[in-house]
Amino acid sequence: MTQPQTHDFLPVPDFLPEGAFARHASLDWDRAAYSDVSEEGRRRKIIRMISRAPNAPVRVRHNFQIGSIDSSSGNGPTLHAHDYPEIFIPVRSGYFVDYGHEGRHRARLDTYDAFSLPLNVLRKFEATEHAPRESQMLSVFDTTLEDARKGIKVTPQIAAADAAAGLPLDFEVSEDLVDSSPQEVEAAHIARFADLRAEPVGGLLLRRLVATGDPRAALRTPHTLEIDFLEVAPGRQSSTQPGSDCREVFVALEGRPVVLWNERPVEMERLDVFSIGRADSRAIRAEGGARALLLRIRDTTNKT
């Protein structure tokens, strides 16, 4: 999981708490994430930056998991369902998501769109990019399961088809699954980045993505976490937040964001993950001539 890639990346500052930061460019994809990730038609490169695994790059304990997925058209997982909330957010190019009974419905997600999948609804995804190019997506599991695979289900028909193709069965077989209509999904489960309201707050633009019951958020379905996009204009810095009511995780998406953690600068590169304790101060500065865009995940049940 932590084998360095061929290009250079910044070192992690040694003043940070151990296990609070993951430099995405230094991580190798997990060939054991699922038993089919190297199979023709199923190929996908998964890096789970936050999980309950003992070798997780971020070792601070969280009540959710987040990972990146890289894949090309013609590849993706088998049709499956989760008994906990899962959120897809493409961060390079787009993805098609097939969902519902036998995967009969299809939604297209473009960069920074989000799909909060309904519980126990079948889903699979396929990249819009064709090999050798790859689309890339963040996947968020809103669960405290030690092994998130134990919350994944397939139908007897899917299990039989995979077995006939010689593919191993990773998941529980169940018929306790539900359907979901395109009307319901588009109204309550998909948010388009272009439609998100950008609120000026403390020297940055805040786009509220996920927050259960908050009318200001685009997605208000049941979650134990909250997710926002944070944008800082080129050369600007947000005001300092002295702390938070829960642990927060920042994921760098664009630009050259510098997080001022307890007034000490922490440079972030694309898809780096930084877990910040509730008592720590934080501000964001956008270095260079481009905006800094980050994803903030508020682990609302984590008070460390």
Side-chain angles (χ1 to χ4, degrees), residues 37-110:
V37 294
S38 297
E39 299 286 342
E40 183 64 36
R42 300 283 180 85
R43 291 175 181 160
R44 54 207 191 276
K45 301 171 185 172
I46 297 172
I47 299 174
R48 197 147 293 278
M49 295 85 79
I50 294 178
S51 74
R52 293 292 179 92
N55 63 340
V58 173
R59 294 187 298 282
V60 175
R61 193 170 179 86
H62 282 277
N63 295 325
F64 70 92
Q65 301 185 22
I66 184 170
S68 63
I69 302 169
D70 290 68
S71 59
S72 297
S73 177
N75 289 278
T78 193
L79 200 60
H80 64 284
H82 292 242
D83 65 7
Y84 51 79
E86 179 183 26
I87 303 167
F88 293 150
I89 305 174
V91 292
R92 185 177 64 230
S93 296
Y95 276 85
F96 296 110
V97 181
D98 297 333
Y99 64 93
H101 180 65
E102 297 182 344
R104 60 182 174 174
H105 307 304
R106 169 166 280 200
R108 178 177 174 134
L109 303 179
D110 292 313

Side-chain angles (χ1 to χ4, degrees), residues 144-160:
T144 58
L145 284 173
E146 295 297 318
D147 183 351
R149 292 174 294 188
K150 293 184 177 178
I152 301 178
K153 308 173 184 179
V154 296
T155 65
Q157 296 80 10
I158 293 168

Side-chain angles (χ1 to χ4, degrees), residues 9 21 24 30 130 156 194 256 259 264:
F9 48 86
F21 191 97
H24 190 270
D30 185 0
H130 298 279
R256 294 171 53 200
V259 175
R264 305 185 76 170

Side-chain angles (χ1 to χ4, degrees), residues 203 205 231-237 255-256 285-293:
L205 293 178
E231 179 182 342
V232 180
R236 304 296 295 273
Q237 179 175 314
R256 294 171 53 200
R285 184 171 69 233
E287 296 281 10
R291 71 176 181 178
L293 185 68

Side-chain angles (χ1 to χ4, degrees), residues 200-265:
V201 177
L204 54 73
L205 293 178
L206 169 67
R207 295 175 174 89
R208 301 177 194 269
L209 182 61
V210 175
T212 301
D214 186 340
R216 299 170 298 177
L219 301 176
R220 300 181 292 277
T221 50
H223 285 279
T224 62
L225 49 75
E226 298 176 356
I227 303 178
D228 308 306
F229 288 99
L230 305 179
E231 179 182 342
V232 180
R236 304 296 295 273
Q237 179 175 314
S238 71
S239 58
T240 298
Q241 183 182 353
S244 177
D245 61 352
C246 66
R247 182 167 282 274
E248 296 182 340
V249 170
F250 290 175
V251 183
L253 299 177
E254 288 183 19
R256 294 171 53 200
V258 175
V259 175
L260 299 171
W261 174 81
N262 293 329
E263 300 183 353
R264 305 185 76 170

